[in-house]
Amino acid sequence: FEIKLDKNNRWVKLAQLLPWDDLAQVYYSKMCSDNGTPTKDARLVIGAMIIKHKQKLSDRESIEYIRENPYVQYFLGLSDYTNEDVFDRSLFTTLRYRMGEKEFDTLNGIIIAQAVEAERGKKEKATQHKNNTEEKNNKQSGGKKNEAPLPEQSEPPEPACRGKLQID
């Protein structure tokens, strides 16, 4: 891509997150190599299906959306921006015919598993950061916590008023 793409764009992030090789295996398992025209690249086709469903577009609108958006073309694995259709919209119909429910479920399962793993990684990172921060704070305070123990009470304490809130 001749223009510099924003690394924080959702399509750029998603392109880096998805396990394209695993998805391609499922896609190619249903393609016949000895008859018909050569198949399109798996990333292009699977990516187009993801875009179609994520954006809730028709077949025709999906092709148009891909043609207009360089971020989406990057997501599909294209090396250069093109303002031509990446494939004919009838390919979506062919894919729905060739790939059965089982294969679509497998694709969804792979994507969901990757999303769960990524979320787990984020949570672990956040927990580790929190633990490191607490450990650092404890070292700075000599291992003493800044909290005083609460006296035992049968009723919850009433909140202490410390001032007035003035709203204009």
Side-chain angles (χ1 to χ4, degrees), residues 5 19 33 54 65 101 103 108 155:
L5 297 177
S33 62
K54 186 169 176 56
Y65 185 75
E101 187 177 327
E103 282 72 23
N108 284 333
E155 296 179 24

Side-chain angles (χ1 to χ4, degrees), residues 6 10 53 78 118:
D6 180 10
R10 64 184 170 150
H53 292 287
L78 300 179

